[in-house]
Amino acid sequence: MRGLRRREQLVDAAIALLCEGGWQAVTTRGVAERADTNAGLIHYHFGGLPGLHAAIVRRVGELVINPLVTELLDAPDEWAALAAVRRLLPETTGDERTARLSAELLAGATRDPALGEVLRDQLREARTQIAGRIRQLHPGWPPERAAAVATLVAALIDGLVLHHMLDHDLPVGEALAGVEDLLRKD
């Protein structure tokens, strides 16, 4: 248990540094100092800095991606899912820490193929879960259609998050009203 707690402390320290200074701030020495521990523990727990970076991506994905996916999966129908997106979007993009982590997550994933693979796997899992929920709501749909719609839902959310992070005046309500109009035509 103690090892797991130390591992989590190292990841938490690394995420704090990531928020403050980006990936370049996440060094073995910096993380060890922030966690008030020996730098050798990073090698012990993660096999080195690349392993710690992968653990960071997994944890940030859990913090940023999972809450929204959970809301979508718990929604009883498409309308409730849209309401959840409408409610959570300002929380997600208005929180400076979450916005910074999201930006750094994408930056790291595009620069480092190993990090990109971790994030890709998380996003695939999210789309798979969303597709499963869509199949529950639309049992007559072929799996390919549910998967395609899940991809569009994920891309819509990603795009809205990105745009809203950069422009808090973005008319999100109107955009989601447009999605509601499309749902009514289905």
Side-chain angles (χ1 to χ4, degrees):
M1 189 62 138
R2 186 174 172 203
L4 180 61
R5 190 172 65 236
R6 178 59 72 181
R7 183 180 169 88
E8 289 175 2
Q9 288 174 332
L10 290 166
V11 173
D12 290 343
I15 289 173
L17 289 170
L18 181 65
C19 281
E20 294 169 9
W23 286 102
Q24 64 273 9
V26 183
T27 64
T28 302
R29 178 178 289 168
V31 172
E33 287 176 5
R34 179 62 64 98
D36 194 29
T37 193
N38 182 318
L41 287 178
I42 292 169
H43 296 283
Y44 175 77
H45 287 292
F46 304 99
L49 201 54
L52 176 60
H53 283 180
I56 292 167
V57 171
R58 281 190 288 279
R59 173 80 65 78
V60 170
E62 292 168 3
L63 295 171
V64 174
I65 298 168
N66 289 3
L68 187 53
V69 171
T70 298
E71 289 282 337
L72 293 176
L73 297 177
D74 289 345
D77 57 28
E78 295 92 337
W79 306 103
L82 276 171
V85 170
R86 191 177 301 226
R87 185 181 82 261
L88 292 173
L89 188 66
E91 292 175 22
T92 303
T93 59
D95 175 45
E96 185 177 327
R97 182 175 188 267
T98 302
R100 176 67 187 232
L101 286 174
S102 297
E104 291 297 337
L105 187 68
L106 289 173
T110 58
R111 289 188 195 115
D112 182 339
L115 299 183
E117 189 174 318
V118 173
L119 181 58
R120 180 201 67 213
D121 291 347
Q122 286 181 310
L123 294 174
R124 282 182 179 168
E125 177 59 25
R127 289 191 306 268
T128 298
Q129 291 176 350
I130 293 168
R133 181 68 181 127
I134 290 170
R135 284 194 308 276
Q136 289 175 344
L137 294 172
H138 299 279
W141 285 11
E144 299 82 21
R145 182 173 185 197
V149 172
T151 298
L152 287 173
V153 167
L156 169 74
I157 293 169
D158 289 345
L160 283 173
V161 167
L162 176 64
H163 284 256
H164 197 258
M165 281 172 49
L166 298 172
D167 180 3
H168 290 291
D169 294 329
L170 183 73
V172 173
E174 289 84 356
L176 293 175
V179 174
E180 289 171 346
D181 287 345
L182 290 173
L183 283 174
R184 283 188 192 95
K185 294 178 183 179
D186 187 23

